[in-house]
Amino acid sequence: MTQTVVDAAITSRISARAFTQHPVSRQTLTEILEVASRAPSGTNTQPWQVHVLQGESRNSLCQKVCAAQDAIRDNPDLAADYKEAYDYYPEKWVSPYIDRRRENGWGLYGLLGIGKGDKEKMYAQHQRNFKFFDAPVGLMFTMDKVMGRGSLLDYGMFLQNIMVAARGHGLHTCPQAAWNNFAKIILPHIGAGPEQMMVCGMALGYADEADIVNTFVTPRVPVQDFTRWLE
């Protein structure tokens, strides 16, 4: 099969978990967002609202959320104060989804030398989410609460466009639902009003090719396993 430029951008996308400090210009970010905005949305509602964090705004948010996560670790009862706006994951896991989740988690931890009993190492790796995996650019995505669930489908296509367009600029990304629980900290920080809700965050920058974590490539189910042909 001949691979097109678009194919290459899609298939080379990974969730990078280590970035260099090489800066990304505002012009580049603007170009990526302009391309991504061509994503389809129901009746062209375009529900996405993007908040770009760099420099001090990025660093201070990381400090706030890392401190909140540390407080929850020390007092698990505090977790009740941090709720996501929508259920990203199911309340009850069933096969084959739980199997894929476990394969993904232990595949990553195994690569990093983190065993099942290494709670401190697990925590440290999870905490890297809230440092954008050292990426110089953090993106926060919100939308108005008044919008319906279909807007989340629209949003997913917009997010995918960002990730693919970033590859065209030699950049990598990591979409992150981990931030969603900390909306009460994030929304005021980014100037989002009470009418908005968190959709997710995203790290963006140049991947650290020397870091072993970026060799982790998640498997995909074969086409014949998820496709039914009707003639």
Side-chain angles (χ1 to χ4, degrees), residues 40-224:
S41 58
T43 63
N44 200 32
T45 49
Q46 304 173 69
W48 37 82
Q49 298 180 47
V50 185
H51 312 264
V52 182
L53 294 96
Q54 297 173 281
E56 180 56 29
S57 66
R58 173 208 173 279
N59 297 341
S60 59
L61 179 63
C62 291
Q63 291 169 2
K64 292 176 185 177
V65 176
C66 282
Q69 181 73 356
D70 285 342
I72 292 172
R73 178 189 57 180
D74 297 337
N75 181 6
D77 291 341
L78 293 176
D81 295 334
Y82 298 96
K83 296 294 185 181
E84 56 189 358
Y86 65 96
D87 294 330
Y88 185 85
Y89 293 111
E91 291 185 8
K92 181 180 180 180
W93 286 95
V94 298
S95 292
Y97 312 110
I98 185 62
D99 308 308
R100 295 170 187 166
R101 177 182 172 91
R102 288 170 176 162
E103 178 185 34
N104 183 72
W106 291 120
L108 175 63
Y109 284 167
L111 181 68
L112 297 175
I114 301 174
K116 289 188 177 182
D118 295 333
K119 292 184 178 180
E120 287 300 317
K121 289 183 179 180
M122 289 182 188
Y123 182 80
Q125 180 60 32
H126 183 66
Q127 189 87 328
R128 284 185 53 71
N129 276 284
F130 307 120
K131 300 174 183 177
F132 292 107
F133 299 106
D134 298 328
V137 180
L139 302 172
M140 289 294 165
F141 301 97
T142 65
M143 76 176 192
D144 287 332
K145 293 177 181 177
V146 70
M147 300 304 289
R149 285 182 293 178
S151 290
L152 290 173
L153 177 63
D154 301 336
Y155 225 121
M157 292 183 277
F158 173 68
L159 295 170
Q160 176 73 0
N161 272 6
I162 291 175
M163 293 184 277
V164 173
R167 292 299 302 124
H169 289 268
L171 296 160
H172 271 291
T173 55
C174 186
Q176 299 172 274
W179 293 95
N180 290 4
N181 291 79
F182 296 98
K184 65 182 292 184
I185 296 173
I186 297 166
L187 294 178
H189 184 90
I190 62 178
E195 76 284 354
Q196 294 185 55
M197 60 174 263
M198 275 287 301
V199 175
C200 69
M202 184 183 292
L204 184 150
Y206 293 93
D208 184 352
E209 304 293 349
D211 196 306
I212 192 173
V213 74
N214 286 332
T215 66
F216 182 65
V217 178
T218 51
R220 288 295 184 270
V221 175
V223 171
Q224 61 267 26

